[in-house]
Amino acid sequence: MEHAADPSHPRYRSLLMRHRLEVAAKKGMLADSALIAHGRGEAYDYLLGETTIPSADAATRIALNALMQAEHPVLSVNGNVVALAGDEILRLANKIGCPLEVNIFYRTPERMEALLNDLNERKERLGLDVDILGAEPDATIPGLKGPRAKCESKGILRADTILVPLEDGDRCEALVAMGKTVIVIDLNPLSRSSQRGSMTIVDELSRCLENMLEMPLEGLPSVESYNHHQTLQNALDTIVDGMKNKF
Ligand code: PTJ
């Protein structure tokens, strides 16, 4: 069993995600601020009702279509993503037929090694044929300073469409400035990433990835049907409406 809590516990999923972060922290995979970022996400998830709201479901379907139609799609992963949904992001890369690239904000050689090892172990256990990039950066993302700008030319640099879950606003903005379609997954519709991305899915990461994995590839809505401002406004409206007449 992955976690000692009973799956029938009303907070089981939340406890499981926290447990995954604790395990990843012990393996040296996480940034020091990873738990702060997670706590912020949890707060927004409460406000959204801990469910995939209709506008997020629509954005997820459009984003999946954008990834499928892209010439060079890439899934960018950081410490929190690998910890919370390492298996799911690998399975999504397999479904799309694209590489994963480890690209972290707080980049150290030790963290990069821990994350790449974890992903490679998962890939072997799942028996998937997915390229895991990030170990040999030979390019930089223009507009970002320091080690966090490092990336691979056959991955993030040449990507035309890139999924960046739980990302920081600067990287998101820099990738958009490179002309890429940047798909953000972020529970906070007010975050800079949510605002700056080309498409934003306001949903919990692991829930969103599970949805993407279940979605059939036929009949997905067109990329042109995406409305960024409406998607973010719908998420905010859900939060505000959910608070009215609560007690
Ligand atoms: O591994 P690194 O070095 O790349 O660092 C990763 C973190 C997440 C620590 C770093 O990118 C960071 O500090 O991120 P922020 O600026 O705190 O932004 C994270 C965003 O993700 C926030 O807007 C949170 O609301 C949101 N978030 C947190 N957990 C989840 C989430 N969104 C979706 N699903 C979650 N589980």
Side-chain angles (χ1 to χ4, degrees):
M1 188 163 60
E2 195 171 13
H3 186 249
D6 186 330
S8 65
H9 189 288
R11 304 296 311 154
Y12 174 69
R13 198 171 169 98
S14 167
L15 293 173
L16 179 62
M17 292 302 150
R18 289 179 174 198
H19 176 70
R20 288 183 181 175
L21 289 167
E22 286 165 17
V23 170
K26 283 187 189 130
K27 289 186 186 169
M29 288 159 52
L30 298 186
D32 289 344
S33 57
L35 300 183
I36 299 171
H38 185 73
R40 182 157 50 179
E42 279 191 334
Y44 276 97
D45 207 15
Y46 254 90
L47 296 172
L48 287 162
E50 295 180 306
T51 186
T52 300
I53 61 173
S55 58
D57 178 70
T60 305
R61 289 173 196 280
I62 298 171
L64 183 58
N65 201 8
L67 287 163
M68 290 307 301
Q69 282 183 16
E71 216 165 307
H72 298 296
V74 170
L75 312 185
S76 174
V77 300
N78 61 21
N80 287 47
V81 174
V82 179
L84 292 172
D87 285 3
E88 289 77 9
I89 198 90
L90 277 163
R91 286 171 52 218
L92 181 63
N94 187 60
K95 175 170 178 164
I96 295 165
C98 73
L100 273 190
E101 181 162 342
V102 179
N103 190 246
I104 56 179
F105 188 88
Y106 302 102
R107 190 181 179 112
T108 64
E110 294 78 16
R111 280 194 65 212
M112 286 300 293
E113 195 187 339
L115 288 166
L116 288 161
N117 285 345
D118 186 83
L119 281 169
N120 280 306
E121 278 167 28
R122 288 173 187 271
K123 174 178 134 169
E124 205 162 305
R125 173 170 48 76
L126 296 168
L128 298 177
D129 182 21
V130 171
D131 265 354
I132 298 174
L133 307 175
E136 290 162 14
D138 58 349
T140 52
I141 300 170
L144 284 184
K145 289 202 182 96
R148 71 187 173 125
K150 289 184 177 181
C151 70
E152 291 206 18
S153 53
K154 61 176 186 280
I156 287 177
L157 192 75
R158 80 162 182 174
D160 52 352
T161 301
I162 177 164
L163 181 71
V164 289
L166 279 71
E167 196 49 89
D168 70 284
D170 285 356
R171 190 192 306 280
C172 189
E173 201 169 356
L175 293 169
V176 171
M178 289 172 82
K180 302 178 190 303
T181 297
V182 177
I183 301 167
V184 170
I185 304 173
D186 192 326
L187 280 159
N188 177 2
L190 298 170
S191 76
R192 280 183 61 231
S193 309
S194 287
Q195 312 269 331
R196 301 289 158 89
S198 324
M199 289 182 186
T200 297
I201 302 166
V202 183
D203 200 2
E204 199 282 320
L205 167 76
S206 58
R207 211 163 50 223
C208 174
L209 295 181
E210 282 166 17
N211 290 341
M212 278 192 175
L213 288 170
E214 276 172 19
M215 279 172 190
L217 296 175
E218 301 78 37
L220 292 170
S222 75
V223 174
E224 293 69 35
S225 66
Y226 177 75
N227 183 327
H228 193 52
H229 291 117
Q230 197 58 58
T231 301
L232 295 176
Q233 188 60 51
N234 280 345
L236 277 178
D237 289 348
T238 303
I239 290 172
V240 172
D241 291 347
M243 286 197 219
K244 286 183 190 154
N245 304 318
K246 193 83 184 160
F247 302 106

